Amino acid sequence: KNQVEQSPQSLIILEGKNCTLQCNYTVSPFSNLRWYKQDTGRGPVSLTIMTFSENTKSNGRYTATLDADTKQSSLHITASQLSDSASYICVVSGEEYGNKLVFGAGTILRVKS
Amino acid sequence: GAGVSQSPSNKVTEKGKDVELRCDPISGHTALYWYRQSLGQGLEFLIYFQGNSAPDKSGLPSDRFSAERTGGSVSTLTIQRTQQEDSAVYLCASSPRQGYEQYFGPGTRLTVT
């Protein structure tokens, strides 16, 4: 069973539009949740990291939210740009897995002009 | 400064051959991780090094997989008698210490024919 589920699997939006990506997890107890951006052919790059006590974290046009009660997180991208086209990966760390990172399968975002 | 580098970037090998994948972590990072990313799947943890020792090898899928790290720096992941299901992108990450932010390399795309 996948401990980190992401939706949608893929998404196409027009440049300038906003979008929201979802992440549900079952990892418990929970240590932190991260969102990574992975460009094609590159390694993942960290966007945000949130601990249990944080509800929201922003990084430029990226805003992540966390609801630790419902075990849900979202990544909101505002005023999308062509360079936002990438895979966005939700990653959860928890004591159950020795604080190893548990990765979602990612959401592939394509921004078109 | 220089990030995590991996070589080769692409490797095509015949089934049954052995392959070696190399990772050069960020200088001074004591923790090093190997992951595997299969098409459409989340990253899968393989092995974690702290210095030259590997306290967590739990992710290695079979005894055909091994890894070593020398001098607390460069790491090599070796896959013996490769199988087609070994085809994936192998990513390396390093961090100053376990639990700190992980910085990923660009990965090695392995194709077993």
Side-chain angles (χ1 to χ4, degrees):
Chain A
K1 185 182 187 306
N2 198 345
Q3 304 293 323
V4 181
E5 299 274 359
Q6 291 189 243
S7 62
Q9 284 188 322
S10 62
L11 182 62
I12 301 175
I13 62 173
L14 289 175
E15 185 178 13
K17 297 295 186 182
N18 304 335
C19 67
T20 300
L21 315 181
Q22 301 292 342
C23 174
N24 295 338
Y25 63 92
T26 58
V27 175
S28 181
F30 159 89
S31 294
N32 56 65
L33 185 146
R34 310 158 192 237
W35 283 93
Y36 282 86
K37 178 186 179 189
Q38 186 175 20
D39 293 308
T40 302
R42 309 290 292 273
V45 174
S46 179
L47 294 175
T48 64
I49 178 169
M50 289 182 290
T51 61
F52 181 89
S53 60
E54 295 178 288
N55 302 119
T56 186
K57 182 75 70 79
S58 290
N59 178 0
R61 294 179 296 102
Y62 301 101
T63 299
T65 64
L66 173 65
D67 186 334
D69 292 330
T70 62
K71 296 184 171 58
Q72 295 180 326
S73 176
S74 65
L75 180 69
H76 187 72
I77 305 173
T78 59
S80 60
Q81 301 176 359
L82 297 179
S83 59
D84 292 333
S85 296
S87 177
Y88 291 84
I89 304 172
C90 176
V91 185
V92 181
S93 171
E95 294 175 20
E96 179 182 359
Y97 299 95
N99 285 314
K100 286 199 289 282
L101 302 184
V102 182
F103 292 77
T107 291
I108 297 173
L109 174 66
R110 180 180 160 213
V111 180
K112 62 178 188 177
S113 55
Chain B
V4 178
S5 61
Q6 293 185 243
S7 61
S9 56
N10 280 285
K11 176 72 176 178
V12 180
T13 189
E14 291 181 352
K15 178 181 172 182
K17 300 285 189 183
D18 298 350
V19 294
E20 280 191 357
L21 312 180
R22 176 186 168 110
C23 172
D24 283 88
I26 293 172
S27 177
H29 281 194
T30 62
L32 185 148
Y33 307 80
W34 282 99
Y35 296 92
R36 179 167 70 174
Q37 187 174 33
S38 302
L39 190 63
Q41 305 289 321
L43 273 76
E44 173 190 5
F45 168 80
L46 297 179
I47 186 170
Y48 153 62
F49 285 93
Q50 181 59 45
N52 290 339
S53 64
D56 191 346
K57 306 178 182 179
S58 61
L60 294 177
S62 75
D63 59 8
R64 296 187 295 105
F65 288 72
S66 63
E68 64 176 16
R69 190 179 185 194
T70 55
S73 181
V74 171
S75 177
T76 302
L77 177 69
T78 301
I79 309 173
Q80 296 177 309
R81 304 181 302 281
T82 52
Q83 304 293 315
Q84 287 186 330
E85 61 262 28
D86 299 335
S87 297
V89 175
Y90 290 81
L91 287 158
C92 173
S94 72
S95 69
R97 291 170 53 183
Q98 185 193 20
Y100 282 54
E101 184 60 62
Q102 294 185 26
Y103 297 85
F104 284 82
T108 293
R109 180 176 295 280
L110 175 67
T111 303
V112 182
T113 61

